[in-house]
Amino acid sequence: MTATTMRAPAMAGSVITDSATMIRRSLRRMRRYPSLTFFIALLPVVFLLLFVYVFGATLGAGIGGAGGAAGRARYIAYVVPGILLLTVAGGAQGTAISVAMDMTEGIIARFRTMAIARASVLTGHVLGSVLQAMIATALVVVVAVAIGFRPTTGPLEWLAALALLVLTSFAVTWVSVALGLVANSVETASNTPMFLTLLPFIGSGFVPTQSMPDLLRIVAENQPFTPIMETLRGLLLGTPIGTSGPIAIAWCVGISVVGYLWAIRLYNRVPGR
Amino acid sequence: MTVQASPAIKVGGLRKAFGKTVVLDGIDLDVPAGSIFALLGPNGAGKTTTIHILSTLLLPDAGEVTVGGADVVRDPEAVRHSIGLTGQVSALDKQFTGEENLQLMADLCHLGRTEGRRRVRELLDLFEIGEIAGRPAMTYSGGERRRLDLAMTLVGRPRILFLDEPTTGLDPRSRRVMWQIVRGLVADGVTVFLTTQYLEEADQLANRIAMLDHGRIVAQGSPAELKRLVSGGRIRLEFGDEAALDRAASVLRVDDVDREALALSVPNDGGTRALRAVLDRLDAASIEAAGLSVETADLDDVFLALTGHDAHEATEKVATR
């Protein structure tokens, strides 16, 4: 449409300015309602504690080696990457809700009648959400470390793990922005991204995929979160990464592009009612 | 009517359907710059759809729509540079304070730090919301919210302002405040396009009115022109007997005679001078009227006459969200 073929140099400047304004809006909201960030971290922390202390000894024995306290300690290391992705997915769920809220409150209609860079409205949501998800992730990591999680690799690998988490968060957040736009109510928007939080379970997040029945195993091994979790595991605990790294990055880039195009398309089409 | 070189809004043959439901069925409008134009009609007439197309929120199915000299389909970006919209659904961030909402608009309009602050202050004063500016918008009353909403629209000084039912649900005092603000804007050269269900509002505010019914413009003109459409006001005279009635009819040269009621009606523009002239002529011919009543037309009559139903009646209650 016309918007995309506009005078490029003039637009480029306002894309950055307007996106910055929209990000400030997200950040201000985040500062004002810190409980939102806290709630994003809450579910993963509950699952972490549940899986480590209730199932940990048994699952620890299941993934090989002794059960009991040693098994539990081994299981903490195994489960943390899955828990981190659970946090990222939970953050994306919040994005869908806030996008849907914007839609119902008519402020998006206002933005759409203003001469502002179109993508900036959504970019603000996405980058704000990624930051929020990272803060929540930090909270989860603090709990994980407190109960005995010890990454065995060096700072460089940790940095790479952080980068991968940011990239994953960016990708799923674009998808959930689209889900927020496509939802006709805030309730729907809070439910549709739920499948994202299931993905770590139907993958290598909590138990190795080899233990699953054939059909499920094929799904689990080929869904995007599994290579991401395997890569995180490698970066944090030194397990072999193999081809998981490039596959994980390819998934993230692919999901980002699809999510972005879908969201922008919806944003430009949805009539403001 | 004065036809300006560049009308602020020009609409020709505008059509829009949602699925099989035809909402706008060939609309033509002309809004001169610096005037107030009211689109009047009952719920479901297509008012909001019209405003959404003019403000680039919806694409038309057919027709030419130019706003501020730019085509809404070919160059919506240019249209957005000159317009502001305050819709029926409040378009503000409820979690932000009034001041933060205005500041957000100032940032998006690229006003710069100093000018932005100044403009925010100015609007807080103009809309008398300075006292509540520090509270989150979710705590505002309906009237306060509406004022903040309009103030936000005005931050970027739009040349053309769209107001979708700006006073629906407001108490009479807030409504008058809103009218005052709209008049002030027009004095500054802003073109205002508003929709309303209230005939009084259109009559009070607008230079031109278009009456919309079931997706068609049934009448368009100044309030006075529209009122004239229903044969203006009338003076109704009643007489004691048929002889007096006949003599009066010949003296006043009217054919509109109701023999059964022994009454006749004389067209009247509503002024007292015309009324006195009628009475003088009867006096001069020594005819005594047994009864007299003055009927003045208002826009309600016009709407009723043109559409066969009341403008207020909610024929199709269209959800506004």
Side-chain angles (χ1 to χ4, degrees):
Chain A
M1 300 207 71
T2 346
T4 53
T5 58
M6 289 294 296
R7 303 139 284 207
M11 289 299 286
S14 67
V15 167
I16 294 168
T17 324
D18 294 343
S19 298
T21 302
M22 291 301 182
I23 292 166
R24 278 205 303 279
R25 174 173 177 243
S26 297
L27 295 185
R28 173 172 284 162
R29 186 179 282 188
M30 210 184 298
R31 270 208 312 277
R32 186 148 309 162
Y33 303 93
S35 58
L36 287 179
T37 312
F38 175 76
F39 275 114
I40 292 172
L42 189 63
L43 182 80
V45 165
V46 167
F47 271 77
L48 177 66
L49 298 178
L50 195 67
F51 272 82
V52 167
Y53 288 107
V54 180
F55 312 131
T58 311
L59 288 171
I63 58 173
R72 178 171 293 124
R74 209 166 41 247
Y75 190 69
I76 293 179
Y78 185 84
V79 82
V80 164
I83 294 290
L84 293 181
L85 278 203
L86 201 60
T87 318
V88 165
Q93 203 168 344
T95 318
I97 295 170
S98 59
V99 167
M101 265 166 68
D102 266 6
M103 295 303 289
T104 56
E105 283 175 17
I107 199 164
I108 292 251
R110 177 187 291 286
F111 292 149
R112 289 169 78 238
T113 60
M114 292 176 73
I116 55 179
R118 299 224 111 186
S120 67
V121 178
L122 302 182
T123 310
H125 272 294
V126 169
L127 297 187
S129 291
V130 170
L131 188 69
Q132 188 171 38
M134 289 310 115
I135 295 170
T137 304
L139 292 174
V140 173
V141 168
V142 166
V143 175
V145 169
I147 64 168
F149 176 66
R150 292 291 177 270
T152 56
T153 50
L156 217 61
E157 282 88 351
W158 300 347
L159 215 60
L162 176 66
L164 181 60
L165 281 170
V166 169
L167 191 61
T168 309
S169 174
F170 183 76
V172 295
T173 304
W174 271 115
V175 172
S176 71
V177 164
L179 291 171
L181 287 171
V182 87
N184 43 22
S185 71
V186 177
E187 289 75 36
T188 317
S190 69
N191 289 328
T192 43
M194 202 98 87
F195 76 92
L196 289 172
T197 55
L198 280 179
L199 284 182
F201 293 94
I202 311 166
S204 64
F206 293 83
V207 293
T209 52
Q210 294 93 304
S211 62
M212 299 176 187
D214 279 350
L215 194 66
L216 191 60
R217 186 176 55 80
I218 292 167
V219 173
E221 282 173 0
N222 293 292
Q223 62 111 327
F225 274 27
T226 296
I228 297 171
M229 289 184 290
E230 288 308 311
T231 309
L232 280 179
R233 207 162 267 149
L235 290 171
L236 295 174
L237 303 157
T239 55
I241 293 175
T243 55
S244 290
I247 295 175
I249 291 170
W251 269 116
C252 287
V253 172
I255 293 170
S256 300
V257 169
V258 171
Y260 172 82
L261 292 177
W262 186 24
I264 289 288
R265 201 183 132 94
L266 286 169
Y267 181 71
N268 283 333
R269 197 183 50 188
V270 177
R273 276 166 300 170
Chain B
M1 277 278 102
T2 47
V3 179
Q4 302 226 344
S6 57
I9 301 167
K10 202 164 167 52
V11 176
L14 171 61
R15 284 171 197 283
K16 180 73 189 176
F18 294 112
K20 280 186 179 142
T21 317
V22 176
V23 180
L24 296 177
D25 192 10
I27 300 258
D28 302 294
L29 297 172
D30 242 312
V31 182
S35 66
I36 307 183
F37 188 94
L39 190 59
L40 181 66
N43 276 331
K47 302 190 296 292
T48 298
T49 304
T50 307
I51 274 209
H52 282 177
I53 290 172
L54 294 181
S55 59
T56 76
L57 283 175
L58 271 180
L59 284 173
D61 292 344
E64 284 291 311
V65 182
T66 319
V67 175
D71 188 288
V72 294
V73 180
R74 283 190 289 276
D75 199 358
E77 206 53 34
V79 172
R80 290 181 197 125
H81 274 286
S82 56
I83 65 165
L85 164 69
T86 294
Q88 289 180 47
V89 182
S90 65
L92 35 83
D93 194 319
K94 282 189 204 155
Q95 301 176 327
F96 281 14
T97 67
E99 186 166 359
E100 286 166 345
N101 268 298
L102 288 168
Q103 189 59 50
L104 175 67
M105 292 301 119
D107 290 344
L108 290 174
C109 293
H110 309 138
L111 292 189
R113 186 172 283 260
T114 327
E115 168 60 13
R117 290 252 166 82
R118 204 192 56 72
R119 184 72 179 141
V120 168
R121 267 285 123 213
E122 189 176 59
L123 287 165
L124 287 175
D125 291 342
L126 177 66
F127 285 84
E128 297 166 18
I129 43 178
E131 279 175 27
I132 53 169
R135 277 180 13 209
M138 65 176 92
T139 64
Y140 285 19
S141 73
E144 290 167 343
R145 209 172 278 188
R146 201 73 69 94
R147 273 184 279 161
L148 173 60
D149 209 328
L150 182 53
M152 286 168 72
T153 306
L154 296 179
V155 170
R157 301 181 188 279
R159 287 194 295 116
I160 301 168
L161 183 63
F162 294 103
L163 303 175
D164 196 4
E165 304 202 3
T167 64
T168 299
L170 290 191
D171 58 76
R173 202 192 81 85
S174 303
R175 176 168 300 165
R176 272 194 298 278
V177 169
M178 196 62 98
W179 288 355
Q180 217 49 54
I181 289 167
V182 169
R183 289 196 187 103
L185 289 168
V186 173
D188 291 341
V190 175
T191 307
V192 176
F193 185 105
L194 62 90
T195 68
T196 181
Q197 300 179 49
Y198 304 117
L199 297 143
E200 188 205 353
E201 182 158 281
D203 202 357
Q204 282 278 331
L205 277 182
N207 305 103
R208 278 177 71 80
I209 299 171
M211 290 185 167
L212 187 65
D213 189 47
H214 291 109
R216 288 169 185 274
I217 301 284
V218 291
Q220 189 171 182
S222 68
E225 283 173 331
L226 290 180
K227 286 177 195 167
R228 236 170 277 148
L229 285 178
V230 284
S231 59
R234 307 188 74 81
I235 302 166
R236 187 179 155 90
L237 296 159
E238 284 163 28
F239 298 92
D241 53 53
E242 208 154 319
L245 176 67
D246 285 338
R247 276 167 57 217
S250 80
V251 165
L252 298 170
R253 293 190 206 101
V254 291
D255 314 319
D256 187 2
V257 175
D258 183 351
R259 296 209 162 272
E260 243 170 81
L262 295 177
L264 57 76
S265 288
V266 188
N268 175 38
D269 59 9
T272 51
R273 187 164 299 172
L275 175 61
R276 186 173 300 127
V278 167
L279 296 180
D280 284 349
R281 276 154 78 186
L282 289 179
D283 254 1
S286 313
I287 307 165
E288 173 134 24
L292 174 146
S293 55
V294 178
E295 295 158 2
T296 48
D298 58 19
L299 290 173
D300 269 306
D301 298 328
V302 183
F303 205 91
L304 188 64
L306 292 170
T307 66
H309 60 84
D310 209 313
H312 301 289
E313 94 193 10
T315 37
E316 298 137 88
K317 181 71 188 165
V318 172
T320 51
R321 357 191 346 164

PDB file of all heavy atoms in Angstrom, chain A residues 66-83:
ATOM      1  N   ALA A  66      22.048 -41.477  39.313  1.00  0.00           N
ATOM      2  CA  ALA A  66      21.397 -41.769  40.579  1.00  0.00           C
ATOM      3  C   ALA A  66      20.182 -40.884  40.791  1.00  0.00           C
ATOM      4  O   ALA A  66      20.052 -39.826  40.180  1.00  0.00           O
ATOM      5  CB  ALA A  66      22.395 -41.561  41.716  1.00  0.00           C
ATOM      6  N   GLY A  67      19.256 -41.366  41.652  1.00  0.00           N
ATOM      7  CA  GLY A  67      18.116 -40.554  42.045  1.00  0.00           C
ATOM      8  C   GLY A  67      18.476 -39.750  43.276  1.00  0.00           C
ATOM      9  O   GLY A  67      19.646 -39.423  43.486  1.00  0.00           O
ATOM     10  N   GLY A  68      17.442 -39.416  44.068  1.00  0.00           N
ATOM     11  CA  GLY A  68      17.664 -38.698  45.315  1.00  0.00           C
ATOM     12  C   GLY A  68      18.222 -37.313  45.098  1.00  0.00           C
ATOM     13  O   GLY A  68      17.977 -36.682  44.074  1.00  0.00           O
ATOM     14  N   ALA A  69      19.020 -36.824  46.076  1.00  0.00           N
ATOM     15  CA  ALA A  69      19.531 -35.454  46.035  1.00  0.00           C
ATOM     16  C   ALA A  69      20.416 -35.227  44.817  1.00  0.00           C
ATOM     17  O   ALA A  69      20.361 -34.176  44.172  1.00  0.00           O
ATOM     18  CB  ALA A  69      20.296 -35.146  47.308  1.00  0.00           C
ATOM     19  N   ALA A  70      21.220 -36.215  44.465  1.00  0.00           N
ATOM     20  CA  ALA A  70      22.108 -36.067  43.312  1.00  0.00           C
ATOM     21  C   ALA A  70      21.282 -35.937  42.039  1.00  0.00           C
ATOM     22  O   ALA A  70      21.576 -35.118  41.164  1.00  0.00           O
ATOM     23  CB  ALA A  70      23.040 -37.263  43.211  1.00  0.00           C
ATOM     24  N   GLY A  71      20.232 -36.767  41.939  1.00  0.00           N
ATOM     25  CA  GLY A  71      19.354 -36.710  40.774  1.00  0.00           C
ATOM     26  C   GLY A  71      18.668 -35.368  40.678  1.00  0.00           C
ATOM     27  O   GLY A  71      18.567 -34.764  39.606  1.00  0.00           O
ATOM     28  N   ARG A  72      18.229 -34.865  41.834  1.00  0.00           N
ATOM     29  CA  ARG A  72      17.547 -33.577  41.871  1.00  0.00           C
ATOM     30  C   ARG A  72      18.491 -32.479  41.378  1.00  0.00           C
ATOM     31  O   ARG A  72      18.120 -31.635  40.573  1.00  0.00           O
ATOM     32  CB  ARG A  72      17.055 -33.279  43.281  1.00  0.00           C
ATOM     33  CG  ARG A  72      16.378 -31.921  43.408  1.00  0.00           C
ATOM     34  CD  ARG A  72      15.696 -31.728  44.744  1.00  0.00           C
ATOM     35  NE  ARG A  72      14.563 -32.628  44.895  1.00  0.00           N
ATOM     36  CZ  ARG A  72      14.418 -33.482  45.893  1.00  0.00           C
ATOM     37  NH1 ARG A  72      15.332 -33.557  46.839  1.00  0.00           N
ATOM     38  NH2 ARG A  72      13.357 -34.265  45.957  1.00  0.00           N
ATOM     39  N   ALA A  73      19.730 -32.499  41.871  1.00  0.00           N
ATOM     40  CA  ALA A  73      20.709 -31.484  41.473  1.00  0.00           C
ATOM     41  C   ALA A  73      20.933 -31.539  39.958  1.00  0.00           C
ATOM     42  O   ALA A  73      21.016 -30.504  39.294  1.00  0.00           O
ATOM     43  CB  ALA A  73      22.033 -31.718  42.197  1.00  0.00           C
ATOM     44  N   ARG A  74      21.002 -32.787  39.426  1.00  0.00           N
ATOM     45  CA  ARG A  74      21.212 -32.932  38.000  1.00  0.00           C
ATOM     46  C   ARG A  74      19.995 -32.419  37.228  1.00  0.00           C
ATOM     47  O   ARG A  74      20.110 -31.832  36.170  1.00  0.00           O
ATOM     48  CB  ARG A  74      21.469 -34.408  37.670  1.00  0.00           C
ATOM     49  CG  ARG A  74      22.350 -34.603  36.443  1.00  0.00           C
ATOM     50  CD  ARG A  74      22.869 -36.017  36.337  1.00  0.00           C
ATOM     51  NE  ARG A  74      21.878 -37.022  36.665  1.00  0.00           N
ATOM     52  CZ  ARG A  74      21.935 -37.819  37.731  1.00  0.00           C
ATOM     53  NH1 ARG A  74      22.950 -37.733  38.567  1.00  0.00           N
ATOM     54  NH2 ARG A  74      20.995 -38.693  37.972  1.00  0.00           N
ATOM     55  N   TYR A  75      18.808 -32.658  37.819  1.00  0.00           N
ATOM     56  CA  TYR A  75      17.590 -32.238  37.122  1.00  0.00           C
ATOM     57  C   TYR A  75      17.435 -30.714  37.091  1.00  0.00           C
ATOM     58  O   TYR A  75      16.937 -30.159  36.119  1.00  0.00           O
ATOM     59  CB  TYR A  75      16.340 -32.890  37.736  1.00  0.00           C
ATOM     60  CG  TYR A  75      15.128 -32.637  36.872  1.00  0.00           C
ATOM     61  CD1 TYR A  75      15.020 -33.240  35.612  1.00  0.00           C
ATOM     62  CD2 TYR A  75      14.125 -31.740  37.260  1.00  0.00           C
ATOM     63  CE1 TYR A  75      13.948 -32.981  34.786  1.00  0.00           C
ATOM     64  CE2 TYR A  75      13.045 -31.482  36.436  1.00  0.00           C
ATOM     65  CZ  TYR A  75      12.954 -32.104  35.199  1.00  0.00           C
ATOM     66  OH  TYR A  75      11.904 -31.840  34.371  1.00  0.00           O
ATOM     67  N   ILE A  76      17.900 -30.021  38.134  1.00  0.00           N
ATOM     68  CA  ILE A  76      17.858 -28.546  38.115  1.00  0.00           C
ATOM     69  C   ILE A  76      18.560 -28.038  36.857  1.00  0.00           C
ATOM     70  O   ILE A  76      18.039 -27.224  36.110  1.00  0.00           O
ATOM     71  CB  ILE A  76      18.558 -27.920  39.358  1.00  0.00           C
ATOM     72  CG1 ILE A  76      17.774 -28.245  40.625  1.00  0.00           C
ATOM     73  CG2 ILE A  76      18.668 -26.396  39.208  1.00  0.00           C
ATOM     74  CD1 ILE A  76      18.405 -27.692  41.889  1.00  0.00           C
ATOM     75  N   ALA A  77      19.759 -28.561  36.627  1.00  0.00           N
ATOM     76  CA  ALA A  77      20.529 -28.142  35.461  1.00  0.00           C
ATOM     77  C   ALA A  77      19.757 -28.443  34.175  1.00  0.00           C
ATOM     78  O   ALA A  77      19.710 -27.623  33.264  1.00  0.00           O
ATOM     79  CB  ALA A  77      21.886 -28.857  35.442  1.00  0.00           C
ATOM     80  N   TYR A  78      19.116 -29.622  34.153  1.00  0.00           N
ATOM     81  CA  TYR A  78      18.422 -30.013  32.930  1.00  0.00           C
ATOM     82  C   TYR A  78      17.213 -29.113  32.641  1.00  0.00           C
ATOM     83  O   TYR A  78      16.956 -28.716  31.500  1.00  0.00           O
ATOM     84  CB  TYR A  78      17.946 -31.471  33.029  1.00  0.00           C
ATOM     85  CG  TYR A  78      17.325 -31.947  31.731  1.00  0.00           C
ATOM     86  CD1 TYR A  78      18.129 -32.423  30.693  1.00  0.00           C
ATOM     87  CD2 TYR A  78      15.951 -31.877  31.529  1.00  0.00           C
ATOM     88  CE1 TYR A  78      17.582 -32.831  29.498  1.00  0.00           C
ATOM     89  CE2 TYR A  78      15.383 -32.279  30.332  1.00  0.00           C
ATOM     90  CZ  TYR A  78      16.206 -32.764  29.317  1.00  0.00           C
ATOM     91  OH  TYR A  78      15.663 -33.137  28.124  1.00  0.00           O
ATOM     92  N   VAL A  79      16.460 -28.755  33.701  1.00  0.00           N
ATOM     93  CA  VAL A  79      15.159 -28.122  33.491  1.00  0.00           C
ATOM     94  C   VAL A  79      15.240 -26.610  33.282  1.00  0.00           C
ATOM     95  O   VAL A  79      14.330 -26.004  32.723  1.00  0.00           O
ATOM     96  CB  VAL A  79      14.201 -28.471  34.667  1.00  0.00           C
ATOM     97  CG1 VAL A  79      14.444 -27.563  35.878  1.00  0.00           C
ATOM     98  CG2 VAL A  79      12.745 -28.398  34.215  1.00  0.00           C
ATOM     99  N   VAL A  80      16.322 -25.972  33.720  1.00  0.00           N
ATOM    100  CA  VAL A  80      16.384 -24.506  33.660  1.00  0.00           C
ATOM    101  C   VAL A  80      16.174 -23.931  32.241  1.00  0.00           C
ATOM    102  O   VAL A  80      15.399 -23.002  32.070  1.00  0.00           O
ATOM    103  CB  VAL A  80      17.673 -23.967  34.329  1.00  0.00           C
ATOM    104  CG1 VAL A  80      17.935 -22.525  33.940  1.00  0.00           C
ATOM    105  CG2 VAL A  80      17.534 -24.066  35.839  1.00  0.00           C
ATOM    106  N   PRO A  81      16.811 -24.458  31.201  1.00  0.00           N
ATOM    107  CA  PRO A  81      16.564 -23.878  29.865  1.00  0.00           C
ATOM    108  C   PRO A  81      15.079 -23.893  29.487  1.00  0.00           C
ATOM    109  O   PRO A  81      14.564 -22.917  28.937  1.00  0.00           O
ATOM    110  CB  PRO A  81      17.373 -24.789  28.939  1.00  0.00           C
ATOM    111  CG  PRO A  81      18.468 -25.316  29.800  1.00  0.00           C
ATOM    112  CD  PRO A  81      17.856 -25.497  31.156  1.00  0.00           C
ATOM    113  N   GLY A  82      14.382 -24.992  29.815  1.00  0.00           N
ATOM    114  CA  GLY A  82      12.937 -25.073  29.538  1.00  0.00           C
ATOM    115  C   GLY A  82      12.166 -24.027  30.315  1.00  0.00           C
ATOM    116  O   GLY A  82      11.250 -23.382  29.799  1.00  0.00           O
ATOM    117  N   ILE A  83      12.546 -23.846  31.583  1.00  0.00           N
ATOM    118  CA  ILE A  83      11.886 -22.847  32.433  1.00  0.00           C
ATOM    119  C   ILE A  83      12.112 -21.440  31.880  1.00  0.00           C
ATOM    120  O   ILE A  83      11.212 -20.600  31.881  1.00  0.00           O
ATOM    121  CB  ILE A  83      12.427 -22.946  33.890  1.00  0.00           C
ATOM    122  CG1 ILE A  83      12.018 -24.285  34.521  1.00  0.00           C
ATOM    123  CG2 ILE A  83      11.962 -21.778  34.731  1.00  0.00           C
ATOM    124  CD1 ILE A  83      10.544 -24.428  34.819  1.00  0.00           C
TER     125      ILE A  83
END
